[in-house]
Amino acid sequence: MRILIPFLCAVAIALPTKARELDVVVGWNKPPYVISQEHSGFEIELVRAILAEMGHTLSPIYVPFGRTARLLKDSTVDIGLTQSAAHNVDDSVLSDPYIIYQNVVVTKTQNNFVISEVSNLKGKRVIGFQTAQSVLGEEFKQALALEPMYMEMARQDRQVDMLMLDHVDAIVLDRNIFNYFKSQNSAYDKEETEFHELFPISIYRAAIPNPKLRAEFNATLHRFVADGRYQLLLDEYQLDNLLHKLPKAPAKL
């Protein structure tokens, strides 16, 4: 079991709402964000710590990704993680952004590949994550549809192995999923890799129908970012902090 750093040892503040156990819907296993076997992972531990500072405890409910919106609509849960307006969830119940994903093309630096657009992947041995052609846009789908050396793989740890062992030229996956699995094998420590940022970031929020709970969550989240506890947890999982990629808020007049 993971021994957490002082990140989780925050002193509870005065509680504006009655302390209770909250049902939190979480997607199925997706290291390093969700490690369901251990009830851990960056997202779970971040939200657990935020709720603890608010005086609540987290009770995770693991479901297939698409079922979260239904459970929220039926008012059977308190919070749904990894949500956006694209997930058939009312934008008004979404918290401020708490995590950002970004799919990238990863290559080994020693190969000196120039990949500035999707078409540069043609003729290369490429492995994408499962459903990549469905979710990365029409340009990606068309560019690789007829490529005999393109395939998709459900196990993303195997994607990383295939790249590091030179069985493929490039892999397509979330940058922090890559960082996590690369860090799990010390044999890969000295291998330098390059991220080719061909795809936009994906901004995720927590769906919290209760407006008071949502406001408290937002305030506590911002406090975690400001005082460094957010970064400490990222560092524990060896993840990149992508909050700086959020669109800038318009200046107030």
Side-chain angles (χ1 to χ4, degrees), residues 8 13-14 61 68 84 92 95 100 135 138 153 156 159 182 184 217:
L8 296 182
I13 58 173
I61 301 173
T68 302
S84 73
S92 67
S95 73
I100 298 172
V135 304
E138 194 62 28
M153 182 175 288
Q156 297 192 283
Q159 276 186 272
K182 182 175 182 289
Q184 300 303 294
F217 180 93

Side-chain angles (χ1 to χ4, degrees), residues 50-62:
I50 288 173
L51 295 180
E53 180 144 326
M54 295 164 55
H56 305 304
T57 57
L58 178 152
S59 176
I61 301 173
Y62 300 101

Side-chain angles (χ1 to χ4, degrees), residues 75-86:
S75 301
T76 57
V77 296
D78 299 293
I79 298 175
L81 298 188
T82 328
Q83 297 297 296
S84 73

Side-chain angles (χ1 to χ4, degrees), residues 151-222:
M151 65 177 291
E152 294 184 355
M153 182 175 288
R155 282 190 54 183
Q156 297 192 283
D157 58 330
R158 289 292 299 138
Q159 276 186 272
V160 176
D161 290 338
M162 294 285 279
L163 176 69
M164 305 312 290
L165 297 173
D166 295 312
H167 295 322
V168 295
D169 300 313
I171 56 177
V172 182
L173 73 174
D174 175 78
R175 64 191 298 154
N176 278 328
I177 291 177
F178 173 81
N179 285 340
Y180 175 77
F181 283 122
K182 182 175 182 289
S183 73
Q184 300 303 294
N185 191 329
S186 60
Y188 302 154
D189 287 348
K190 295 182 179 179
E191 294 280 4
E192 294 186 5
T193 55
E194 184 174 353
F195 290 162
H196 307 271
E197 299 184 357
L198 305 187
F199 312 107
I201 62 173
S202 297
I203 301 169
Y204 291 110
R205 308 165 187 263
I208 309 175
N210 183 306
K212 190 172 183 180
L213 183 66
R214 185 169 63 251
E216 291 174 22
F217 180 93
N218 286 339
T220 309
L221 167 64
H222 289 297

